[in-house]
Amino acid sequence: MTPKTRDDVRPQPPEAGGAHQAAQEPAPVPRARRLIELFLLVIAWVIGIGAMCMVDVELAAELDSRIVMAAASLIVGSLIIHVILHVKARYADPFILPVAVALNGIGLAMIYRIDLTTENGVAPSQTAWTAVAMLACAACVWFLKDHRVLRRITYISLAASILLLLLPLTPGLGTEINGARIWISLGGRTFQPGEVAKITLAVFFAGYLSANRDLILLAGRRIGRIRLPRFRDFAPMFVAWLVSIGVLVLQRDLGSAILFFGLFLAMIYLATNNLTWVVIGLLLVLVGGIFAYTTMSHVTLRIDSWLGAFEPEVYNQEFGGSGQIVQGLFGLASGGLFGRGLGAGRPDLVAFSNSDMIITSIGEELGLLGLGAILMLFLVLVSRGLRAALGTPDAFGKLLGAGLSAVLVLQLFVVVGGVTRLIPLTGLTTPFMSAGGSSLLANWVIVGLLLAISHSARSPRVVGEESPEEGAGGGSAPTPSSLPAADDPGATAAISRLGAGRREESAPSPSSEGGRS
Amino acid sequence: MASELTVTLLRFGFLALLWVFVFVILAAQRRDLGINQILRFNSLPGRGRRGAAQSTASGQQKQAPSAPQRPGQLVIVDGPESGTTIRLGDTPVLLGRAQDCTLTLHDDYCSGHHARLFPQGSRWFLEDLGSTNGTFVHGERLSRATLVEPGTPFSVGRTVMELRA
């Protein structure tokens, strides 16, 4: 039986109106709101540069070149993006850019502050990377007038992701740092291609799922309440998943593996609005986790130092002990509610305090209140990304926007959960804050893509389009679960043919084998 | 040398500034998040403006809400398979040349997975799936999901279809 003539009908969920509900939400005449962006940008500059000055007031008074350079690159970079938004994407979301600038500024300040008390010298290179990353974001907005062009490179981005993930494994190019082989070094500089791969993977998932989700959902064998997709519909997804997980296990980078798998699950859920996939995925994680714990030494180490962090033998272990986590926790504790003040804590006691553990360094110096504000900023950033996904009219944009937001939030969860001992600590970077150029670059490109998507979401519609269920859904904010999957395909087709007698005899015609164009 | 007091003031001032930033953003978002939006639409003349903009954008669309009953038939009006009638259910319909589509079109100008038609409330929306030759309503190539009124012909490849009640 072909999928076309199935006759089991599941009723459409009543709240499925989320997609086009967004169309009614913008005020009658959409406003560009670039002015409020500029205003918020000024506050963001004050936050970032103020933080750097407060670290050491005397150094700041002497106009330390590091501060001047950082301030210049923050201000000039964000002004360039702001102006480009004015010209190219007037209706882009006004909150995304200032939040990203503020987070980047605080991160720079923290890295500079840690440079002062340790022999690290990362601040200048981080400043340079900030400038490069902001220019990349600006280029993204400039050239990407319409995010839908990315849909054309669906399969190219799958290939690119595979290539990027395999790069560190090539002998001669790949470099192993701290036990994980995820870097490539070119002319003395290191780069983490996996950071870029998370964007290309999101593009691939969005492109593939927006075109094929009906197939994945509707065609295939049914077992109980779950409908298994046919393998050939699912194969490219499977390849993407297998490569990202397989390569990351080979490269021994647990954090990225969790990130990619989380992205995969989030995208599947967003596209199909079907919780069974998430449940199956989480079960797979559990099985995989137990397997990895028993067979792979570095995973065993991570989990042991998570569960038994305060046991002396784990703490004092020479390599991979829990000293880092516990020192980070002590740092957070000594920060208390209001923090020690910038420049007054001891983040130098924690290993990798400017990259993996930057959250605890911030928590120590700004306290619970400061860290809370920073988490709020991340929340705002992610919610604006989801808002853009809600508002944009095409399925690809919805999936891409929500997927990129999912990347940000997953990464943040893995990092903050890790340093606060909620989940095992894995080496991921905090978006916009950690020292590390590739991560900064990737996150600014994500910002650029979100800005482009939000422009299409908020700009006035040229084509006359009525929003369905007007007034019925009202202003009630749709739940994230119904966001991009809102033009919900969550049921099977119930179509019976009336005048299609000749259809049957022409079933295996060669033209129908043609690939999707 | 900055005094102890200044340092403390700066410390707390910075925390306050962070939260001010957060709250300014949240306050500025209030409009966008649609709080009190229904009230405003019903009581202010903004609605009229919106309606005017809509009717100029496409003269054919009516202001009055369309029939509560969703169109239940898809008729192929022109093209290789003209005359075919398909009854629509509650579920999206995938149009294209590939065998796995809900409605397989034997039209060489179609892409494998060309377009999808999905129900939303009492109406059907048409969305192009990145086809080569495009999907057209009123001679305009679709760039986003668009409402399809019953009786309005739309073309997929060389096939022209329309919805009927």
Side-chain angles (χ1 to χ4, degrees):
Chain A
M1 187 153 70
T2 55
K4 309 153 198 163
T5 46
R6 218 175 273 118
D7 50 6
D8 40 353
V9 181
R10 263 188 282 155
Q12 196 84 343
E15 71 274 21
H20 294 273
Q21 218 169 50
Q24 80 181 55
E25 262 184 25
V29 179
R31 294 188 308 167
R33 309 193 84 190
R34 293 266 74 86
L35 214 57
I36 191 150
E37 179 177 84
L38 190 60
F39 171 66
L40 289 172
L41 264 181
V42 173
I43 305 186
W45 294 335
V46 173
I47 288 177
I49 298 159
M52 293 195 89
C53 295
M54 279 164 61
V55 169
D56 195 326
V57 184
E58 279 143 61
L59 266 181
E62 292 162 21
L63 287 179
D64 186 351
S65 69
R66 285 173 285 189
I67 297 184
V68 176
M69 286 306 291
S73 69
L74 269 187
I75 293 179
V76 173
S78 49
L79 268 183
I80 289 176
I81 300 176
H82 176 72
V83 169
I84 285 179
L85 285 180
H86 239 301
V87 180
K88 283 281 181 177
R90 279 190 64 221
Y91 292 95
D93 193 288
F95 308 109
I96 293 178
L97 179 62
V99 170
V101 170
L103 290 172
N104 198 340
I106 297 171
L108 272 176
M110 211 59 218
I111 287 166
Y112 166 69
R113 180 256 169 281
I114 290 165
D115 272 5
L116 290 181
T117 47
T118 58
E119 56 265 34
N120 287 342
V122 214
S125 83
Q126 183 78 357
T127 306
W129 272 112
T130 304
V132 171
M134 282 179 163
L135 288 181
C137 170
C140 222
V141 180
W142 179 271
F143 290 111
L144 207 67
K145 241 182 112 185
D146 186 345
H147 61 267
R148 276 167 300 182
V149 299
L150 290 178
R151 187 178 184 162
R152 290 187 214 136
I153 59 161
T154 299
Y155 291 93
I156 296 177
S157 39
L158 174 63
S161 319
I162 294 174
L163 194 72
L164 285 168
L165 287 171
L166 287 175
L167 266 184
L169 291 177
T170 31
L173 196 61
T175 324
E176 187 165 327
I177 304 176
N178 304 323
R181 200 185 169 90
I182 50 174
W183 280 270
I184 55 169
S185 70
L186 272 178
R189 294 208 161 268
T190 54
F191 192 78
Q192 235 176 300
E195 292 285 346
V196 183
K198 67 189 181 189
I199 301 175
T200 51
L201 263 185
V203 171
F204 164 72
F205 284 146
Y208 188 77
L209 285 172
S210 66
N212 293 28
R213 58 176 167 184
D214 289 338
L215 281 182
I216 291 176
L217 269 178
L218 302 180
R221 188 187 301 271
R222 207 187 163 102
I223 301 177
R225 287 192 56 227
I226 307 163
R227 187 179 298 280
L228 294 178
R230 291 178 305 180
F231 184 72
R232 69 187 164 103
D233 295 334
F234 205 68
M237 299 289 290
F238 188 68
V239 168
W241 173 78
L242 202 70
V243 167
S244 56
I245 301 300
V247 166
L248 289 164
V249 168
L250 290 180
Q251 292 170 355
R252 307 209 292 173
D253 180 24
L254 192 58
S256 306
I258 293 176
L259 177 65
F260 286 123
F261 192 68
L263 172 67
F264 176 75
L265 280 188
M267 294 295 263
I268 289 262
Y269 176 64
L270 290 166
T272 61
N273 194 12
N274 198 341
L275 257 177
T276 36
W277 288 109
V278 180
V279 175
I280 293 173
L282 291 179
L283 286 177
L284 280 178
V285 167
L286 198 69
V287 172
I290 293 170
F291 176 74
Y293 178 65
T294 48
T295 55
M296 280 183 276
S297 62
H298 66 288
V299 180
T300 317
L301 266 180
R302 297 273 186 185
I303 293 187
D304 282 345
S305 68
W306 166 52
L307 290 174
F310 288 96
E311 278 158 35
E313 64 268 30
V314 181
Y315 181 87
N316 291 322
Q317 211 158 16
E318 194 149 318
F319 179 72
S322 65
Q324 188 186 17
I325 305 176
V326 172
Q327 285 299 336
L329 288 174
F330 288 164
L332 282 177
S334 90
L337 191 57
F338 294 103
R340 314 289 297 180
L342 278 166
R346 291 297 307 277
D348 48 299
L349 295 176
V350 186
F352 297 109
S353 53
N354 62 5
S355 54
D356 288 3
M357 303 295 283
I358 199 164
I359 285 289
T360 61
S361 312
I362 290 170
E364 181 175 1
E365 305 220 317
L366 295 179
L368 181 65
L369 279 177
L371 197 55
I374 284 162
L375 293 181
M376 278 299 288
L377 289 180
F378 275 112
L379 178 71
V380 166
L381 187 64
V382 170
S383 70
R384 295 317 294 172
L386 289 175
R387 179 67 183 77
L390 252 182
T392 194
D394 62 304
F396 173 74
K398 278 178 195 305
L399 282 174
L400 184 61
L404 292 175
S405 312
V407 167
L408 284 178
V409 82
L410 276 170
Q411 204 172 341
L412 189 70
F413 172 76
V414 169
V415 170
V416 177
V419 299
T420 51
R421 251 186 101 221
L422 183 70
I423 56 172
L425 179 67
T426 55
L428 268 188
T429 53
T430 315
F432 299 108
M433 301 190 127
S434 295
S438 18
S439 158
L440 202 57
L441 184 69
N443 286 312
W444 272 105
V445 170
I446 289 180
V447 164
L449 293 177
L450 287 179
L451 284 171
I453 294 172
S454 70
H455 173 63
S456 93
R458 299 179 74 246
S459 57
R461 302 282 146 81
V462 189
V463 184
E465 181 184 355
E466 252 182 88
S467 50
E469 272 142 44
E470 209 164 322
S476 68
T479 52
S481 63
S482 70
L483 300 183
D487 26 302
D488 172 34
T492 47
I495 295 177
S496 55
R497 299 250 177 75
L498 295 180
R502 65 201 155 89
R503 189 82 40 84
E504 260 84 72
E505 67 209 30
S506 64
S509 80
S511 71
S512 58
E513 294 295 310
R516 204 173 321 100
S517 21
Chain B
M1 181 75 194
S3 75
E4 198 74 16
L5 182 69
T6 338
V7 171
T8 315
L9 277 181
L10 274 177
R11 216 179 100 196
F12 288 107
F14 186 74
L15 290 182
L17 182 66
L18 272 179
W19 279 101
V20 165
F21 186 54
V22 170
F23 281 116
V24 167
I25 290 176
L26 292 182
Q29 276 187 35
R30 198 190 39 180
R31 258 178 79 86
D32 190 56
L33 290 177
I35 297 165
N36 289 339
Q37 202 89 70
I38 316 172
L39 216 97
R40 213 176 289 148
F41 275 150
N42 291 339
S43 56
L44 289 182
R47 203 180 165 80
R49 241 187 312 163
R50 178 182 151 86
Q54 225 165 47
S55 57
T56 49
S58 77
Q60 296 229 339
Q61 266 175 28
K62 283 167 283 176
Q63 264 299 307
S66 54
Q69 198 66 43
R70 191 164 52 212
Q73 281 185 328
L74 179 65
V75 182
I76 300 186
V77 201
D78 194 13
E81 285 154 301
S82 76
T84 311
T85 307
I86 286 122
R87 193 180 298 147
L88 299 170
D90 281 341
T91 51
V93 180
L94 199 56
L95 306 169
R97 223 173 48 187
Q99 275 301 302
D100 42 26
C101 289
T102 11
L103 171 59
T104 308
L105 300 165
H106 296 276
D107 177 348
D108 292 340
Y109 290 79
C110 262
S111 295
H113 301 126
H114 196 108
R116 72 192 278 262
L117 201 59
F118 59 94
Q120 191 101 127
S122 61
R123 283 165 284 195
W124 285 94
F125 281 75
L126 183 65
E127 182 183 24
D128 189 76
L129 295 177
S131 62
T132 312
N133 293 330
T135 308
F136 293 83
V137 181
H138 293 308
E140 271 180 61
R141 187 168 180 154
L142 288 193
S143 56
R144 46 172 55 95
T146 305
L147 170 70
V148 186
E149 297 280 4
T152 308
F154 58 92
S155 64
V156 173
R158 275 191 311 171
T159 310
V160 182
M161 308 178 214
E162 64 179 56
L163 291 173
R164 298 217 178 125

